Amino acid sequence: MDWLWEQHWFLWHQCLLLPLAVLYSLTRAHLSLTWRYLCLGLGGCGLAVGTMGVYSLVVFVATLGFTLVVFCVPPDRVHGWVFWGQMLWQTVCHLLLQHGEGLLHQGGGVRALAAVSSLMLLTQRVTSVSMDLQEGRIRLPQGGAASCPLFLLSLCSYVLSFPTLLGGPLYPYSRFVGCVEGSGSGAPPLPLGAVSVKVLQVLLLEGVRAGLLRGLQGPGPAGPAGACLCLWGVALALRLRYYSHWGVSEGLNLAAGFGPRGLSDGDPWTTEASPRVSEFARRWNATTAAWLRRLVYGRGGRCPLLLTFGFSAWWHGLRPGQAAGFLGWGVAVRADYALHRHVGAALSSRWGRGLYAGLSWAHTQTVITWVVLLVESQGVAPLGAWLLWGRGPSGGVAPLGAWSSVSVLLFPLLNAALALCFLLKARVFC
């Protein structure tokens, strides 16, 4: 039982919140607007204290700072203050977490990780609000934010809402307010069927992941091809964990009355079938990808793509593996545009396009496998240790051996080099 709790800590907490979300959805029609915001916000505060303990101060300090900035800074300047203040605070917390990494195997490690993970999601919400204020999508009440306590209450409730505190798709503040204020006697019924489908999907994904990991613990196929297959299996198991987390978070939001209605962080069937690296990047963690496009890519200078992936590495913690993985992903996306523009457009026969689509899908899976393993193992040296001795982010799996390890590590690099050669050739001859 302890092993199940440790391995599925996040899923357990999100599932335990489902009854609370259903209770809120059933009773909100009988609550005043103030009490609806209070239930969501106080529920988030209680969840933070219960799951994070003393580390919940990390989230509360960020919320207090965001509220003070909105209270004191004019709307046209609020985004800069919120962005830099929040990212500096998040960076400090990431550095402190890395400095005390030896404590992660003790009791407080999971609580610290939950606090930093929640802080990352909070960064998304507060910067979304600050951009809305700067662009005029959110209008402050007459006399400023201080003149309307309900407005400040809605902001705090949006930031600390218990359905989204630990995970879930990012939806805008206006959507949140519309769902809270629009829930009355004419509100749609509780979508228990959709919630049940999400829970069943999560159980299926976890079953597939458990079977995949069990198969990887035994001796795998020999040679470089077998090593590539084993690495792909490990990376797929890691991605399935994310799909499960997103699925249970979407179910929790549905139960609380904040149905995604098209907002989803990733459907495993659609995302894994992506034939291009750029399509996979847009579909993977979709609401975060949209937030990054709005926050960085749309405001970027000469290299918005690399700036976007570089900022994503910073937002994730800026460890060596994260920096290398996300920047490598950005280079692969940039090369993907050139390859499909100059190579894919030149193919006219049906069999040629089919072969190209299959090779392109294999290339995408190879790049994503390399990125996931590099990011999850936190660097090249830990990844090499896992390849040689079988100690990695997914637990104990069979080691691959030195020659297979070298070939698997070099293959994505050579693949990226070939893609860059096509990109340079296109620039020279066009």
Side-chain angles (χ1 to χ4, degrees):
M1 192 67 184
D2 292 338
W3 179 84
L4 282 175
W5 178 261
E6 181 182 352
Q7 291 293 318
H8 304 280
W9 180 90
F10 176 85
L11 292 178
W12 279 112
H13 277 92
Q14 294 292 76
C15 290
L16 291 175
L17 286 174
L18 283 173
L20 180 62
V22 171
L23 178 62
Y24 168 77
S25 183
L26 293 175
T27 59
R28 62 182 176 178
H30 308 285
L31 299 174
S32 66
L33 190 57
T34 300
W35 274 106
R36 294 176 194 172
Y37 284 126
L38 283 174
C39 288
L40 291 169
L42 292 178
C45 292
L47 176 63
V49 173
T51 57
M52 307 170 198
V54 68
Y55 298 105
S56 60
L57 290 174
V58 167
V59 175
F60 295 146
V61 168
T63 304
L64 177 62
F66 166 68
T67 306
L68 290 176
V69 169
V70 173
F71 182 82
C72 300
V73 179
D76 58 336
R77 298 171 54 192
V78 70
H79 177 61
W81 283 85
V82 169
F83 174 81
W84 289 109
Q86 182 67 24
M87 285 306 300
L88 287 175
W89 175 242
Q90 181 177 304
T91 302
V92 169
C93 293
H94 268 131
L95 292 175
L96 291 175
L97 180 65
Q98 296 173 28
H99 179 71
E101 207 163 41
L103 300 177
L104 295 183
H105 300 289
Q106 302 177 9
V110 175
R111 294 179 179 271
L113 287 174
V116 174
S117 176
S118 179
L119 183 63
M120 293 170 62
L121 298 174
L122 190 144
T123 299
Q124 291 185 333
R125 294 192 288 274
V126 298
T127 51
S128 295
V129 171
S130 65
M131 286 187 289
D132 287 341
L133 286 169
Q134 187 182 53
E135 297 168 3
R137 299 186 182 186
I138 297 178
R139 299 289 183 180
L140 291 178
Q142 294 294 331
S147 65
C148 185
L150 186 62
F151 175 74
L152 292 177
L153 179 61
S154 67
L155 284 181
C156 294
S157 178
Y158 173 68
V159 172
L160 295 173
S161 174
F162 73 87
T164 57
L165 185 70
L166 298 179
L170 173 67
Y171 44 82
Y173 168 79
S174 57
R175 163 79 176 277
F176 172 80
V177 172
C179 289
V180 175
E181 295 183 354
S183 55
S185 57
L190 179 66
L192 288 177
V195 176
S196 302
V197 168
K198 286 293 181 182
V199 173
L200 290 176
Q201 181 183 13
V202 169
L203 292 176
L204 175 62
L205 290 172
E206 284 300 302
V208 172
R209 177 172 175 264
L212 187 58
L213 289 176
R214 183 178 294 274
L216 289 169
Q217 289 175 354
C228 290
L229 186 61
C230 289
L231 273 183
W232 176 80
V234 173
L236 179 61
L238 291 169
R239 295 199 297 274
L240 288 175
R241 181 180 61 184
Y242 286 99
Y243 292 128
S244 298
H245 289 182
W246 296 335
V248 74
S249 297
E250 290 165 14
L252 179 61
N253 279 270
L254 276 169
F258 302 99
R261 299 176 193 169
L263 286 180
S264 173
D265 278 324
D267 173 62
W269 318 112
T270 305
T271 305
E272 294 299 325
S274 301
R276 297 178 54 177
V277 180
S278 55
E279 288 184 10
F280 194 101
R282 287 192 296 270
R283 293 170 178 172
W284 175 263
N285 205 352
T287 58
T288 296
W291 169 71
L292 289 170
R293 284 196 298 271
R294 183 187 178 194
L295 180 69
V296 184
Y297 189 87
R299 301 165 181 253
R302 299 178 59 182
C303 301
L305 188 65
L306 291 181
L307 283 175
T308 302
F309 280 92
F311 174 78
S312 182
W314 181 22
W315 179 67
H316 280 85
L318 207 60
R319 298 190 180 195
Q322 292 166 337
F326 282 105
L327 289 177
W329 195 358
V331 171
V333 170
R334 182 65 184 90
D336 176 77
Y337 291 146
L339 282 171
H340 286 270
R341 183 169 61 250
H342 297 283
V343 178
L347 299 174
S348 56
S349 63
R350 180 178 301 177
W351 69 268
R353 290 196 299 268
L355 178 62
Y356 180 75
L359 292 176
S360 177
W361 178 84
H363 167 259
T364 299
Q365 289 291 312
T366 303
V367 170
I368 298 304
T369 295
W370 179 74
V371 170
V372 168
L373 292 178
L374 194 58
V375 171
E376 291 289 337
S377 60
Q378 308 299 344
V380 177
L383 177 57
W386 173 77
L387 291 171
L388 289 172
W389 297 294
R391 301 168 185 169
S394 64
V397 295
L400 302 180
W403 288 105
S404 299
S405 305
V406 172
S407 64
V408 171
L409 281 173
L410 286 180
F411 181 76
L413 299 178
L414 293 175
N415 208 339
L418 287 174
L420 286 177
C421 287
F422 277 106
L423 175 60
L424 295 175
K425 180 179 178 180
R427 288 188 173 182
V428 171
F429 291 100
C430 292

